[in-house]
Amino acid sequence: MLSKKQAKTFFLGGTLLFFLIFIALSVDSLSNGIPENTHPEKMSEQAKLGRYLWDKNNCMGCHTLMGEGAYYAPELTRVYSRKGPDYIRAVLTAPEGWQPRGRKMVKYDFTDEEVDALIAFFQWMNDTYLNGFPPEPMMAQPQ
Amino acid sequence: MKYRSQKVAYYFFALSMLLLILQITYGFIMAFAHMGFDGLHEWIPFNTATATHKNLLVVWILSGFMGAAYYIIPDEAERELVSVPLAKLQFWSFAIVGVIAVAGFHMGWFEGRKFLEIPRPLDYLVALNVVGFLLLILFTLLKGKKKTTTAWVLTMGLVFAALLYLPGMIYFENIAVDSFFRWWVVHLWVEGVWELIMGGILSYLLIRLTGVDREVIEKWLYVIVGLTFLSGILGTGHHYYYTGGPDYWLMIGGIFSALEPLAFLGMTAFAVQMYRKGNKKHPNKLALFWTLNTAILSFLGAGLLGLAHTLPQVNLYTHGTLVTAMHGHLAFWGAYGSLVFSIISYAMPQMTGRKIFDNKIGNFAFWTANIGILGMTTAFAAAGVSQVSLERIAGYEYMEAAKVIEPHFFVLIIAATVFTTGILLFVWNFIKFGVPSDDALQPEGDVAFQPVS
Ligand code: HEM
Ligand code: HEM
Ligand SMILES: [Fe+2]
């Protein structure tokens, strides 16, 4: 039968081994994979401001981006190509707050500069590669 | 209760119960909003409600863990806590930071980082507070007569949880990098170091409640936490599939996260086996119920329902939908909510000397809370699966699908009412225990505790 000492060795050894592999893969992801997929060098100053506004207003508290966030409002990773910049501007500047089919979005008092920044951020996001996410709806795909 | 200073735990348990009730309130606000009743929108918009719901969740669980540590460490180390006044100071500062954070959410002071919405300036206060807590625990353990495996595993879980919080405090311009490190906190907490805390608390409870030999229990504890890290560390990859990471995570994350349920299955087997081997003489039936419940529901919620969407082929379609919320509720409740309820159920009679071990209210609370959460999980599952079919398969627009699934939120609210009834009854029992008293001191420790070997 397994002794307590062997069990302890299994725990410490396994943890150390997998921790080291994880760190190595993380370093690789951060220095190769993520930059190649997301092109941070293409982020304009505008897009950076948009990124900041996304965070500051907790847009993720209703929407998802890259599939992360809450489930009260649409996924926005590809909103730039799906809806286009004019539509996004209309959403962000609706005088009474945007209300698609009765569901209320928070009414923001963004300046024109801030609206442009958010649009630039979505445009940058639109060009990221996420291993095929979000998927094309299955039934809409060519057979 | 053997040591006076263990009574400090009571403050943390009481705070934990209070915050849970508040958390649930915000859950109802969101469930009603999903159904189309968003009358509070002007004052508490959804993003405020959700930040509050998720952070109160984390804080009431952490408060429960801290209480557990203050109760368990003196008992295991066989000495008083190094300083009770400092522990109380740590408690009050913890509570105050929590109040500021929640008030801030209502004034739009948050960061869009799910589960970590607390703004960075407050993060520093949280970190400082936790360092204070850890020092008190570590010094007590180091100066103690005994340094048991149970105590070490619990303490190391708490130390690593604090360390992992740090990368989550940095702001990254690239949102994909931000997300990468957010998972170092969220995933490596719940599917990593929190399982050490869980294993440590379960092992303490099983030693006391079943009387099975410590050496046997602690051997299996090592095996379980070994399985946790073996699968859970690389399992982080299941959050890197579709968030900008390289494609090797599909393979690595898929394989290792699919192994994660083994650790939870281990917890189930561990608790059930020890219960069967044990002498079954401990009078505190409710604590035993909750302990076994934790071991079983954590496997269902985290293990099985996690497995249900962890393979990349499935996750491509379920990622970022209500299917995730289905799993999130049963996993958090089954593993960590129920765990906090277990230690409270064990510690309260010990601290107050009132032997409410097996009363009607306690039993009813146990069943309604757990049946309620299973109902909620089912409602989220129905909503989530419909959402996936409509949006990701049939190609509906988000709001078109949202309208179709509204009725599932009605079911959610019914089930949540059952759940809440259970919680309120549990809290009612908690209040009836009254406050801890030195009259409850037992120099011999838990007298019902009779070792078998
Ligand atoms: C007690 C342990 C666990 C808890 C408390 C927990 C909780 C959660 C929560 C709250 C989320 C949502 C996170 C977010 O979107 O920010 C999540 C996501 C996820 N969990 Fe768990 N989980 C646990 C264990 C597991 C296990 C063991 C597995 C796999 C077997 C798993 C698989 C997943 C997957 C695949 C996702 C991503 C869902 C998505 O793509 O939207 N979880 N979990
Ligand atoms: C009366 C009880 C509750 C109700 C009605 C409720 C309802 C909700 C709703 C509507 C959401 C938001 C889903 C979205 O993003 O659109 C949510 C999120 C969440 N709740 Fe609850 N909740 C309740 C209790 C709890 C409890 C007791 C826990 C944990 C033990 C919990 C953990 C969570 C988690 C982890 C999330 C985030 C899930 C995710 O985004 O994947 N909730 N809840
Ligand atoms: Fe995870």
Side-chain angles (χ1 to χ4, degrees):
Chain A
M1 254 318 250
L2 183 79
S3 72
K4 188 170 170 186
K5 200 149 174 270
Q6 288 168 321
K8 185 174 177 180
T9 312
F10 164 71
F11 166 60
L12 292 175
T15 303
L16 188 68
L17 174 67
F18 287 101
F19 176 74
L20 291 176
I21 300 177
F22 181 68
I23 293 296
L25 291 175
S26 290
V27 170
D28 177 68
S29 297
L30 290 164
S31 41
N32 302 312
I34 296 181
E36 277 160 28
N37 285 339
T38 59
H39 303 292
E41 72 285 354
K42 286 196 196 150
M43 255 186 126
S44 60
E45 286 308 310
Q46 260 188 329
K48 286 178 187 167
L49 175 62
R51 148 81 179 95
Y52 168 77
L53 292 170
W54 172 266
D55 190 59
K56 180 168 174 284
N57 292 289
N58 191 16
C59 306
M60 201 194 201
C62 292
H63 293 278
T64 50
L65 189 74
M66 306 190 294
E68 298 187 345
Y71 318 123
Y72 192 61
E75 169 37 66
L76 297 178
T77 309
R78 297 287 182 256
V79 67
Y80 188 86
S81 55
R82 208 170 64 233
K83 297 287 191 184
D86 296 339
Y87 184 97
I88 300 173
R89 184 176 304 276
V91 170
L92 293 175
T93 55
E96 297 300 317
W98 190 247
Q99 290 192 23
R101 291 168 222 250
R103 183 163 290 183
K104 298 192 191 77
M105 176 161 149
V106 176
K107 178 181 168 307
Y108 292 104
D109 299 308
F110 290 128
T111 62
D112 287 344
E113 190 201 352
E114 288 171 334
V115 173
D116 290 337
L118 280 162
I119 294 174
F121 173 59
F122 288 132
Q123 186 176 9
W124 170 78
M125 195 75 233
N126 197 57
D127 294 335
T128 56
Y129 175 69
L130 306 179
N131 292 327
F133 184 85
E136 275 300 308
M138 256 182 207
M139 284 161 62
Q141 284 165 5
Q143 297 297 314
Chain B
M1 178 177 65
K2 207 166 157 188
Y3 300 95
R4 264 171 234 283
S5 50
Q6 287 179 285
K7 295 198 307 270
V8 178
Y10 178 79
Y11 290 85
F12 290 87
F13 292 155
L15 178 69
S16 183
M17 293 297 98
L18 182 72
L19 298 181
L20 165 60
I21 292 175
L22 264 179
Q23 187 217 347
I24 292 176
T25 313
Y26 285 82
F28 277 108
I29 294 176
M30 287 192 287
F32 276 108
H34 264 287
M35 252 183 93
F37 302 108
D38 58 355
L40 290 173
H41 174 80
E42 292 295 319
W43 302 278
I44 309 178
F46 195 90
N47 61 344
T48 293
T50 201
T52 312
H53 188 68
K54 287 165 193 160
N55 284 269
L56 284 175
L57 163 64
V58 173
V59 177
W60 81 257
I61 301 270
L62 286 179
S63 186
F65 287 171
M66 288 178 178
Y70 280 128
Y71 187 82
I72 293 175
I73 297 299
D75 204 8
E76 288 283 298
E78 300 192 356
R79 64 156 290 149
E80 297 282 354
L81 205 61
V82 283
S83 166
V84 174
L86 285 178
K88 284 189 185 160
L89 178 71
Q90 188 256 321
F91 169 78
W92 287 109
S93 55
F94 183 69
I96 290 169
V97 175
V99 171
I100 298 176
V102 170
F105 292 159
H106 291 75
M107 294 182 283
W109 195 38
F110 40 34
E111 284 164 2
R113 309 162 79 239
K114 193 176 180 184
F115 291 104
L116 307 177
E117 287 95 343
I118 296 183
R120 281 177 191 82
L122 282 183
D123 277 341
Y124 291 99
L125 291 182
V126 175
L128 195 69
N129 184 277
V130 171
V131 169
F133 162 74
L134 289 175
L135 287 178
L136 287 170
I137 293 297
L138 276 169
F139 273 108
T140 307
L141 185 55
L142 290 175
K143 287 185 166 178
K145 286 200 201 78
K146 291 204 177 132
K147 295 166 186 62
T148 64
T149 303
T150 300
W152 268 120
V153 169
L154 172 59
T155 307
M156 282 302 118
L158 294 163
V159 170
F160 288 130
L163 287 178
L164 283 169
Y165 192 70
L166 302 178
M169 287 166 57
I170 311 167
Y171 181 88
F172 294 98
E173 214 138 60
N174 186 349
I175 198 159
V177 176
D178 198 293
S179 160
F180 189 88
F181 284 113
R182 193 174 67 84
W183 292 116
W184 280 34
V185 190
V186 180
H187 171 97
L188 288 175
W189 267 7
V190 301
E191 292 156 71
V193 297
W194 282 23
E195 286 181 55
L196 294 196
I197 301 173
M198 179 178 174
I201 297 177
L202 279 184
S203 141
Y204 173 83
L205 286 168
L206 289 170
I207 291 171
R208 308 284 141 162
L209 290 168
T210 67
V212 173
D213 183 40
R214 178 183 285 277
E215 288 301 302
V216 177
I217 290 192
E218 290 181 341
K219 175 174 82 183
W220 291 112
L221 176 62
Y222 272 132
V223 174
I224 290 170
V225 294
L227 285 174
T228 296
F229 282 148
L230 190 140
S231 59
I233 297 179
L234 290 178
T236 316
H238 66 184
H239 302 290
Y240 298 158
Y241 299 156
Y242 307 119
T243 53
D247 58 7
Y248 54 68
W249 287 116
L250 297 178
M251 178 79 110
I252 295 173
I255 292 173
F256 284 90
S257 69
L259 294 174
E260 284 178 37
L262 281 180
F264 288 97
L265 189 62
M267 303 250 191
T268 320
F270 175 58
V272 173
Q273 268 310 101
M274 295 310 144
Y275 168 69
R276 291 173 56 181
K277 267 178 103 149
N279 59 20
K280 304 191 180 66
K281 288 212 186 90
H282 202 287
N284 196 339
K285 292 281 172 297
L286 283 170
L288 193 60
F289 267 33
W290 280 106
T291 305
L292 291 173
N293 183 66
T294 308
I296 294 167
L297 277 197
S298 63
F299 175 64
L300 284 183
L304 279 186
L305 293 185
L307 189 64
H309 61 157
T310 203
L311 294 180
Q313 298 84 338
V314 178
N315 193 259
L316 178 64
Y317 290 94
T318 58
H319 178 50
T321 66
L322 289 158
V323 169
T324 308
M326 155 198 85
H327 154 72
H329 280 85
L330 198 61
F332 254 111
W333 170 257
Y336 303 118
S338 175
L339 179 68
V340 170
F341 276 50
S342 309
I343 184 72
I344 291 181
S345 299
Y346 176 75
M348 285 306 283
Q350 296 275 336
M351 290 195 292
T352 60
R354 299 194 57 188
K355 302 195 166 23
I356 311 181
F357 286 144
D358 193 15
N359 68 343
K360 269 209 181 96
I361 297 186
N363 273 294
F364 194 66
F366 175 83
W367 290 108
T368 37
N370 289 307
I371 291 172
I373 200 94
L374 287 171
M376 289 169 59
T377 307
T378 314
F380 271 122
V385 172
S386 314
Q387 185 191 5
V388 171
S389 326
L390 294 171
E391 265 186 80
R392 304 261 166 102
I393 297 183
Y396 279 42
E397 285 247 358
Y398 174 86
M399 272 314 296
E400 284 175 331
K403 284 282 162 197
V404 178
I405 64 179
E406 272 179 5
H408 298 302
F409 287 92
F410 179 67
V411 180
L412 176 71
I413 288 170
I414 306 274
T417 308
V418 176
F419 172 73
T420 308
T421 308
I423 299 303
L424 292 176
L425 289 174
F426 185 91
V427 174
W428 170 248
N429 242 356
F430 179 85
I431 295 170
K432 273 205 325 202
F433 273 111
V435 292
S437 132
D438 283 345
D439 298 342
L441 281 176
Q442 293 172 327
E444 299 300 311
D446 184 350
V447 284
F449 161 67
Q450 295 157 327
V452 285
S453 46

